[in-house]
Amino acid sequence: MQLSAVLTPAEEGGYIAHNPETMTTTDGETIEEALANLKEAVELYLEDAPLRVRGNILLSTITVNDNAPAAAA
């Protein structure tokens, strides 16, 4: 099963890795470590909660203005 992984730099260094399909998040000091940790976390999640993936995953990016107003609390 192929799932998506979204990696972002962590403020304290390293990377945060997120799988949107399972809402699983973890981290690692390197991209490789973050992906390995995410793979392990997703596999553990799927042991208890099987996932049905429908079709191919589509991933895109958007560009927003840096001065966009903050969301209301």
Side-chain angles (χ1 to χ4, degrees):
M1 176 185 310
Q2 187 175 36
L3 299 176
S4 57
V6 178
L7 283 85
T8 54
E11 287 185 28
E12 63 277 1
Y15 294 88
I16 298 169
H18 176 70
N19 171 249
E21 293 88 355
T22 61
M23 300 302 289
T24 305
T25 302
T26 188
D27 62 3
E29 290 299 315
T30 65
I31 291 173
E32 293 79 12
E33 181 183 10
L35 287 172
N37 291 344
L38 184 61
K39 181 177 187 272
E40 180 181 6
V42 169
E43 287 172 344
L44 289 170
Y45 175 92
L46 293 174
E47 286 179 8
D48 292 329
L51 182 66
R52 293 184 190 175
V53 177
R54 295 178 184 95
N56 294 326
I57 297 167
L58 302 175
L59 179 62
S60 186
T61 60
I62 60 170
T63 302
V64 297
N65 295 330
D66 289 342
N67 58 356

